[in-house]
Every structure is written in C-alpha cells, then in structure tokens.
Amino acid sequence: MALSFPVPVLLGLLSLILQHPITSSTVVGAIRLSLVRRPTSDLPIFREAPAFRNNEQCPDGIVHITMTLDANYLRGTMAAVLSMLQHSACPENLSFHFLSAHSSSELFSSIKTTFPYLKFTIYRYNTSRVRGMISRSIRQALDQPLNYARIHLADILPDEVKRVVYLDSDLVVVDDVEKLWNVDMEGKVVAAPEYCHANFTQYFTHSFWNDTSLSRTFDGRNPCYFNTGVMVVDVDQWRRGGYTQKVEDWMAIQKQKRIYHLGSLPPFLLVFAGKIKEVDHRWNQHGLGGDNFEGKCRNLHPGPISLLHWSGKGKPWLRLDSRKPCVVDHLWTPYDLYRSSRHFLEE
C-alpha cells in the first residue's frame, strides 16, 4: 500500500538538507560559476564545487568510500560526492576510491576540475573477470559488468584499505557519512540496513527453492533482504575469508541452472543474508527510483533519514530533465552540479 506524503515531511527534510548552507565560512574562496572545460562530447559539464575544510576538532584518520565510475551515471556520482562533503564534519578525511571500466583521462579530468581539493583514486576494473559469468536479468542496466565490481573490491583496493563504505551513484547523503563508517561491525564482514519484512523468497526462482541441495544454504540462518548499494565492508575479513570466490561460485551455478533474476544482488544474498551487521534504516531510504520496470514515483518511508537512494529504474536527473519529476526528486536537486548550455547562457 502506498504511503501518504504529507507536505511537512518534505519541508522538514528540505530543511535538514539545507542546514549546512554553502557560505564563505565553510569554503575556501567563493563558488566559481564558470564551467569547467568539457573533456569530450560524451561527458556532462559541471560547475566547480567549493572546497570544504576540516574544523579544528577533526581527528587524524581516513574514511574510505568506494563508488563505481560510469559516464552514464557521472551526474549522479558528482551529486553524491558533493552531498557527502557538504554534510561531513571532517570532509578532508574522506578518501574516494572510484572503480571504472575504462582507463579514462577524461573522467579523471572531470572529477579533478569539479572537485579540485578531493582526495581520490581511480582504479581500472577489468570487466573480463565477470563478463562470461553474468546472466541476463530483468533490466539491462543490471547486467553491466561494472555493476559487479563490488564483488572484487578486496582484489582492487590496496592492502592498507581495511574497511570501506560502498555506495551506489544514485543517492545523496544528508548526514555525516563518518557515522556510517564508524558502525560497530561486531566481527561481521558486511554491515547494511536489513529489511526482514520483504518477501525474501521472491529473489530466487522456484527451481532454487525446490532444489534442497541449493536452498539448504539458508539452513540455520534468518535471511533478510539488504540493498548492496549501501554497505560497510570489512575488506580485510573479506580477503581472509575468500568471499569473492564464494560469490562467484553462486554466479557459476546460476549459469548452469537459473536460480535468480536480479543481477548482482542475489549472489550477495546467498552468501551474506542472515550474516550481516544490521544498520539503522535511516542509512538507506531506498526504492525512490520506483520498480525495475516502470520507475514510477514512490513516497518516502516514515522515520529519520540519513541517505536517500534512487534505486530502481527512475533516476532523478533523468526525470528532472524530462520535466516529469517525482516529488522526492527535488530533494536531489540541491546537490546537482550539472550545467547545461541553457543554464550557462542564463548565468
């Protein structure tokens, strides 16, 4: 049943987002409205973001954040990065690790010119690692090799990275991401919000559930759905436990006997469901992009919100550009650094 969407909730959330306005006291220099040089005809143009600095009470330390980097989702990535910087008490402690299917100097230039002060590294993801293991899912976007890069984080990131916050590109963070980073893992490999009210059986086929040699993997577990677009991962434990191979083993079974329909999520559930550290739901207000077929508008779930996630088919930048936005898409707009030629002329 759809939830009603009272106006006070939206106004309250907008107030939360704007509680740290971009002012000269929080940035070095003023925002320059000039546009960065466009690297290629395929990449969007972005306004340069301000430089966010640590306050005097910030401790030493690094918060490692990992995201994939795709030209088709670059506008979303830029908005996500800005949201984290703007709401972080210690933004200079954030270090971004981007995984890209292409060794692209244009992508590097786009990030560097948009965020001149950002600490980041781009890693080349070899898509051949999974290309022969991917089974067709219900939506083409879910079948892209880069969507499986999260499986190989432990192999790509340097050894000194022991823990990461993995985030999708279709979200914004409206709280200090360091709070998520500091979650007590309690010895677990993955931490994420769990949704035990969801119908867990729907993520797998009848063939899976009817084959006890497969379905018994959940014996002794209380498996619940979790969204792999927002996770804290103990990379050290992942390496020691050989979890990349465990996920790939299920992908190999899927190629022989179709046991699920939904991209890279089900093999994660097969390995980790019922074994993760639960995080407060405020850290993934997911499903704002609607379902995987039509991307219809959805309302916010009740309760406090630290992260807004447009998982599903509908993406806020596409719906805004088509002039058919959902109400929740306007919560994404304050972080959009994109400037079209029309905006350039207006400025």
Side-chain angles (χ1 to χ4, degrees), residues 27-48:
V27 305
V28 175
I31 302 175
R32 284 182 281 180
L33 293 179
S34 59
L35 301 184
V36 303
R37 185 179 301 278
R38 188 173 188 172
T40 73
S41 59
D42 296 325
L43 292 181
I45 306 172
F46 299 98
R47 186 180 72 231
E48 181 181 317

Side-chain angles (χ1 to χ4, degrees), residues 120-139:
F120 74 94
T121 306
I122 299 179
Y123 305 85
R124 172 72 185 277
Y125 177 60
N126 184 0
T127 57
S128 64
R129 296 194 61 170
V130 293
R131 196 174 296 276
M133 304 176 68
I134 297 175
S135 300
R136 186 176 179 181
S137 65
I138 60 175
R139 185 159 60 90

Side-chain angles (χ1 to χ4, degrees), residues 15 17 24 29 41 61 65 86 93 102 107 116 131 155 164 167 201 230 232-234 265 281 291 302 327 340:
S15 175
I17 289 175
S24 58
S41 59
I65 298 166
Q86 184 170 335
N93 288 3
H102 307 285
L107 282 172
R131 196 174 296 276
D155 305 322
V164 298
L167 298 173
T201 60
V230 179
V232 185
V233 181
D234 186 325
L265 169 65
H281 286 181
D291 58 34
V327 174
S340 67

